[in-house]
Amino acid sequence: MKREKPQSFNSVPIKERLTIPRQDMPEQDALLRSTNFLEVNLGFTPEQAVIEAQRCIECASPTCMDGCPVNIKIPDFIQLICKEDFVGAAEKIKEDNSLPAICGRVCPQETQCEQVCVVGKRFEPVAIGRLERFVADYAMEHGSDTTPVFQKPEPSGQKVAIVGSGPAGLAVASDLIKEGHEVTVFEALHEFGGVLVYGIPEFRLPKAILREEVANLETKGVKFIKNFIVGRTMTIQELMNDEGYDAVFLGLGAGLPRFMNIPGENLNGVYSANEFLTRSNLMRGYEFPEWDTPLYRAKHAIIVGGGNTAMDAVRTAKRLGADEASIVYRRSEEEMPARNEEIHHAKEEGVKFMNLVNPIEFIGDEQGSVVAAKCLRMELGEPDDSGRRRPIPMEGSEFVMDVDMVVIAVGNGSNPLISQTTPEIETNKWGNIVADDDGRTSMEGVFAGGDIVSGGATVILAMGAGRKSAAAISEYLKAKVGSVV
Amino acid sequence: MYKILKADFIAPNVKSFVIEAPLIAKKRQAGQFVMLRVHDKGERIPITIADSSSEEGWISIIVQGLGKTSAHMNTLEAGDHLQDLVGPLGLPTHIENWGTLVCISGGVGTAEALPIAAAGKAAGNRVISIIGARHKDLIIAENQMAELVDEVRISTDDGSAGRHGLVTDVLQDLMNEGITPDMIVAIGPLPMMAAVSNQTKEDGIPTMVSLNAIMVDGTGMCGACRATVGGKTVFVCVDGPEFDGHQVDFKELGMRQKMYKKQEAESHKCFLERQMKKLKAEQLAEGV
């Protein structure tokens, strides 16, 4: 079905639009920000947002929406920005994405909507992500008077338990509360947000924004319960049989960190990225001793890996006062899975990149603390299964460098808790839950999505999986009522 | 918030807490632990559950005031609240009828050994408890243990109660008397568990130890609690906390436990200074 084109509010003649340069987002000075945990990006001004929105050429068949995992109506919200109806634009996004202030910050737009933007074929693509972020922030700040009041739907009389309050769980909660279901989110930790609170640093996603999004869902009627670990505090069967939940969504997130299985990995000062970032983000170790959780402040830190998590960790190490904080990555920068923006920001902040290097051993002192890393230099060979060129050790290239902290950021396995306590839910050989495209697991009424199904991925992909599951859960609940009557 | 129903010192610097936690009380089994935070800027610490009542909806834990968080915890009294409490975590103790089960414990480990001794007895074992301490005042839960098991033996480093010596000496006495344990469970300070494991390895007596690693989330996410068991890295929070003592790399774990020694001392000092200021202010206020 062809979409109806949104009404145009763009006053700039088509021919002139391509002459407008892509607007730069103001950011904190690199030297200053490398010493604080405040947000790096400062966001567009309203004027910049309108200028950027006017760069959109209003394609007859826009491709940007297809590039978005949750199919946000991008052309529509851009026209509302041209009209300077910023709150309306935010509402338009929220029809498809309940967490725009978060996605506007952490989505890899350059490989999604912006990658397929028609303008981007010859010029720089419209800065869709920055626009999303701007209107979401604007609505948060100014929207309360003009935002339409949430109309509570007719109660369905059915209860859904959501396990995990990360991106997948929040997306499911947001969709199902609109359907009139009673929705309860269970969180094992003491704060809500999952990876958004323990994994992504304050300088990339301020926690206040997350808390506001959670509060919004609470206002709409979603119940949030913390310090509750499903599988242990109560099992899935107990939730369904004793507590009367009609359906359960498992958005457990990634699990145990992977290590490299090289000597010295259990030395003091060798962290998994999960631990290092959790100590800093969730536990506020960077404010020790004002906050109780300790965290190493290294002089020479290396972070092993090339993903966004590695960038978050290395930039955190730098902010904690490291003289030298380096990325050690076994391939070249071209193969790095991290977003360009993160790599660029890290470089600006003085992070060193040691590419084509792979550690083979960590060396400790008598107290068991890491003091050095033994590494090999690598070269790239033929492409491997991932399509990237395989790193091959160079003979005789071994070298040792002094380090007093190592963070291993090479991905996560899966949390074993559900397979330990609910064997009827099928898992694959990596321990990930097996689910179909709509999130159905092997146990009736139990759905799953996000990293626990896909393995480590992005916030928006987890939200996309959550939205698909939410639709399937709604369908399942309707059928259930039908079969009872 | 989680209400403290009872709080009593049971030995110098060692306090027993009964905490309202109906859901945890209903599910917990021997050997499991909770993660807790004392206040809103607090760290998450793991503590083994000593006892519980599902009917009355409480769990009990024993806290030795060694560092900042445990010292802070021990200033709390009945009626106060904990900021956060989650559990029960970890795999429950594997219990079966082995024949003769010897529970060896030291320090607050004795309170943590109670549920295992009780479960062992219920499974039909002859249960012998060996309790070790530096001094007789530091022995806890001796009477509760005596009610559960067939026999309790004590050792103290200074000879102030029971046998003058270590728990390993008492174990040797048992063996000399012709009592060969079919299973040993050791809970307490790391050096004690290491010494017991070392001794029983030669005799081939199965020995289970309950490891107390540093944790952050405690739910299988961060990997802080890793230890080497049988040459492989394990995560104490979800693979344990109990492991085959003969396979554990105690030296590595001992070093890992000291990872934040410096920071812990700094944090503890800050806390004590704040407490001192508070006390002085209170005194001053009373004086006026």
Side-chain angles (χ1 to χ4, degrees):
Chain A
M1 198 180 72
K2 202 170 179 324
R3 275 188 83 240
E4 207 167 301
K5 210 174 152 188
Q7 190 185 349
S8 175
F9 294 99
N10 196 338
S11 56
V12 179
I14 285 277
K15 279 181 192 166
E16 287 171 31
R17 291 185 194 173
L18 293 176
T19 63
I20 307 172
R22 181 173 156 116
Q23 300 295 293
D24 281 331
M25 177 158 52
E27 52 190 39
Q28 259 202 86
D29 172 72
L31 196 64
L32 181 68
R33 74 181 190 239
S34 67
T35 61
N36 70 45
F37 278 83
L38 301 176
E39 194 175 12
V40 170
N41 291 323
L42 302 173
F44 277 161
T45 62
E47 295 74 25
Q48 277 183 304
V50 172
I51 296 171
E52 184 62 37
Q54 286 170 338
R55 296 183 64 233
C56 174
I57 57 169
E58 299 175 63
C59 309
S61 345
T63 46
C64 47
M65 284 179 62
D66 301 330
C68 172
V70 296
N71 306 114
I72 292 175
K73 297 178 204 74
I74 295 164
D76 304 49
F77 95 74
I78 286 184
Q79 285 315 307
L80 290 167
I81 297 175
C82 291
K83 194 189 168 191
E84 295 186 36
D85 178 5
F86 303 134
V87 174
E91 287 307 310
K92 184 57 74 183
I93 298 175
K94 284 182 195 166
E95 288 174 14
D96 303 292
N97 175 355
S98 48
L99 307 170
I102 294 169
C103 292
R105 288 175 164 79
V106 303
C107 262
Q109 293 97 6
E110 65 279 5
T111 60
Q112 299 177 359
C113 51
E114 293 182 19
Q115 189 181 41
V116 294
C117 169
V118 173
V119 175
K121 281 184 185 160
R122 302 235 182 105
F123 304 87
E124 287 226 76
V126 176
I128 301 167
R130 293 171 184 180
L131 289 173
E132 177 183 33
R133 177 200 148 111
F134 166 75
V135 296
D137 285 0
Y138 186 94
M140 232 177 228
E141 214 173 309
H142 303 92
S144 52
D145 307 333
T146 42
T147 310
V149 180
F150 177 69
Q151 296 291 335
K152 282 203 174 143
E154 197 66 28
S156 69
Q158 287 170 302
K159 285 168 71 174
V160 183
I162 294 172
V163 186
S165 64
L170 293 179
V172 176
S174 164
D175 278 6
L176 291 182
I177 200 71
K178 291 180 198 156
E179 302 282 321
H181 304 306
E182 200 181 313
V183 178
T184 309
V185 178
F186 295 95
E187 170 56 53
L189 295 175
H190 59 268
E191 274 197 56
F192 300 108
V195 71
L196 303 170
V197 65
Y198 74 73
I200 301 181
E202 181 77 15
F203 56 83
R204 233 162 37 89
L205 175 67
K207 301 295 165 274
I209 285 173
L210 178 64
R211 276 195 283 271
E212 181 122 3
E213 299 281 27
V214 170
N216 280 340
L217 288 173
E218 257 178 330
T219 322
K220 290 179 181 172
V222 177
K223 265 189 253 166
F224 283 89
I225 298 178
K226 61 181 178 179
N227 295 324
F228 192 111
I229 180 154
V230 172
R232 289 266 175 244
T233 313
M234 221 179 259
T235 61
I236 294 171
Q237 290 91 335
E238 286 167 321
L239 284 173
M240 298 181 89
N241 301 336
D242 305 343
E243 302 296 313
Y245 285 95
D246 299 284
V248 175
F249 174 79
L250 302 174
L252 310 174
L256 288 166
R258 286 213 186 93
F259 288 89
M260 304 175 70
N261 298 316
I262 60 174
E265 263 183 315
N266 290 347
L267 288 167
N268 292 344
V270 181
Y271 285 108
S272 73
N274 279 8
E275 182 189 355
F276 181 65
L277 289 171
T278 300
R279 282 183 180 272
S280 179
N281 300 332
L282 175 71
M283 307 310 297
R284 295 236 176 201
Y286 62 88
E287 296 193 51
F288 179 87
E290 169 70 16
W291 287 62
D292 289 345
T293 304
L295 184 60
Y296 269 19
R297 286 177 181 268
K299 289 265 168 272
H300 290 102
I302 58 167
I303 284 72
V304 184
N308 288 320
T309 306
M311 298 305 144
D312 284 343
V314 77
R315 295 170 71 193
T316 296
K318 191 81 196 163
R319 281 161 172 77
L320 286 166
D323 294 334
E324 215 170 274
S326 312
I327 287 283
V328 171
Y329 182 53
R330 63 194 181 125
R331 303 179 199 248
S332 74
E333 192 172 315
E334 209 174 301
E335 287 83 21
M336 272 192 183
R339 297 184 63 192
N340 287 336
E341 179 179 305
E342 308 308 329
I343 296 170
H344 171 73
H345 276 156
K347 281 185 178 165
E348 281 185 340
E349 288 162 14
V351 167
K352 259 181 65 178
F353 282 71
M354 300 178 70
N355 296 330
L356 293 166
V357 172
N358 201 30
I360 49 167
E361 184 184 348
F362 301 117
I363 299 158
D365 64 10
E366 277 170 13
Q367 279 78 46
S369 297
V370 67
V371 292
K374 194 185 280 179
C375 302
L376 290 178
R377 297 201 187 276
M378 313 291 275
E379 58 190 347
L380 293 177
E382 292 302 307
D384 62 11
D385 295 345
S386 73
R388 296 176 297 178
R389 293 177 64 194
R390 185 193 305 273
I392 303 163
M394 286 166 76
E395 226 167 284
S397 65
E398 190 177 303
F399 67 99
V400 173
M401 62 177 160
D402 292 347
V403 298
D404 58 354
M405 184 174 86
V406 176
V407 179
I408 310 283
V410 297
N412 299 299
S414 54
N415 191 305
L417 202 63
I418 289 297
S419 51
Q420 274 177 6
T421 58
T422 320
E424 41 283 61
I425 295 177
E426 196 190 328
T427 51
N428 65 17
K429 64 177 170 179
W430 299 284
N432 293 112
I433 293 177
V434 177
D436 69 13
D437 278 351
D438 294 320
R440 290 180 200 88
T441 70
S442 57
M443 187 172 168
E444 201 199 318
V446 180
F447 299 74
D451 281 5
I452 189 63
V453 172
S454 61
T458 62
V459 169
I460 191 69
L461 285 172
M463 289 184 61
R467 296 210 65 206
K468 276 188 180 170
S469 285
I473 290 170
S474 266
E475 208 175 283
Y476 169 79
L477 292 176
K478 268 182 208 138
K480 204 177 170 191
V481 171
S483 67
V484 171
V485 177
Chain B
M1 299 290 262
Y2 304 80
K3 193 174 177 185
I4 296 169
L5 304 172
K6 266 178 77 177
D8 302 295
F9 279 105
I10 55 170
N13 217 16
V14 177
K15 207 166 184 176
S16 161
F17 293 91
V18 175
I19 304 161
E20 193 174 68
L23 294 177
I24 302 174
K26 208 171 146 190
K27 296 293 287 192
R28 62 71 61 154
Q29 291 172 264
Q32 290 187 301
F33 65 94
V34 288
M35 296 294 298
L36 64 84
R37 284 206 316 153
V38 177
H39 66 123
D40 65 354
K41 291 181 179 174
E43 61 183 335
R44 296 170 66 94
I45 58 163
I47 297 189
T48 306
I49 304 170
D51 197 5
S52 67
S53 163
S54 55
E55 293 80 34
E56 294 168 28
W58 54 259
I59 60 163
S60 73
I61 55 173
I62 313 290
V63 179
Q64 186 170 20
L66 287 177
K68 196 255 148 166
T69 298
S70 49
H72 189 167
M73 177 90 191
N74 283 358
T75 64
L76 301 184
E77 289 171 11
D80 289 339
H81 290 81
L82 292 179
Q83 181 75 26
D84 295 292
L85 181 69
V86 61
L89 298 165
L91 296 172
T93 308
H94 170 76
I95 300 281
E96 62 178 89
N97 188 354
W98 293 286
T100 300
L101 166 66
V102 176
C103 286
I104 304 178
S105 58
V108 298
T110 303
E112 298 168 357
L114 288 171
I116 295 170
K121 191 69 199 161
N125 290 286
R126 169 192 188 192
V127 183
I128 299 170
S129 157
I130 301 175
I131 302 175
R134 287 201 315 276
H135 179 73
K136 69 175 167 44
D137 289 349
L138 299 172
I139 297 169
I140 61 163
E142 180 189 350
N143 295 336
Q144 286 151 281
M145 188 61 92
E147 280 173 28
L148 291 174
V149 302
D150 296 282
E151 190 188 344
V152 176
R153 298 193 184 196
I154 304 280
S155 73
T156 48
D157 295 9
D158 62 0
S160 52
R163 190 195 201 283
H164 189 164
L166 304 172
V167 287
T168 43
D169 297 322
V170 180
L171 180 61
Q172 195 54 55
D173 294 346
L174 272 185
M175 307 276 286
N176 294 344
E177 290 165 31
I179 303 171
T180 308
D182 297 299
M183 176 54 108
I184 289 178
V185 176
I187 304 186
L190 209 60
M192 184 212 90
M193 294 194 287
V196 169
S197 300
N198 198 25
Q199 185 172 341
T200 60
K201 197 170 184 175
E202 291 161 26
D203 301 316
I205 304 169
T207 301
M208 205 153 62
V209 294
S210 178
L211 300 186
N212 37 353
I214 293 175
M215 295 184 190
V216 185
D217 71 297
T219 66
M221 183 271 284
C222 83
C225 63
R226 61 197 191 275
T228 302
V229 178
K232 285 205 180 101
T233 292
V234 297
F235 300 97
V236 174
C237 71
V238 286
D239 298 328
E242 284 158 12
F243 296 93
D244 176 357
H246 299 156
Q247 304 285 326
V248 173
D249 184 341
F250 285 103
K251 186 175 172 234
E252 179 188 271
L253 188 61
M255 291 197 286
R256 286 187 66 79
Q257 280 185 344
K258 294 191 189 105
M259 182 156 170
Y260 295 103
K261 215 175 164 196
K262 216 175 96 193
Q263 288 92 333
E264 276 163 10
E266 182 190 350
S267 181
H268 198 188
K269 191 170 153 243
C270 287
F271 172 73
L272 293 178
E273 278 168 8
R274 279 202 294 270
Q275 290 292 309
M276 185 58 83
K277 261 189 205 159
K278 247 190 188 167
L279 283 176
K280 275 186 183 158
E282 276 169 23
Q283 275 182 339
L284 213 61
E286 276 169 25
V288 175

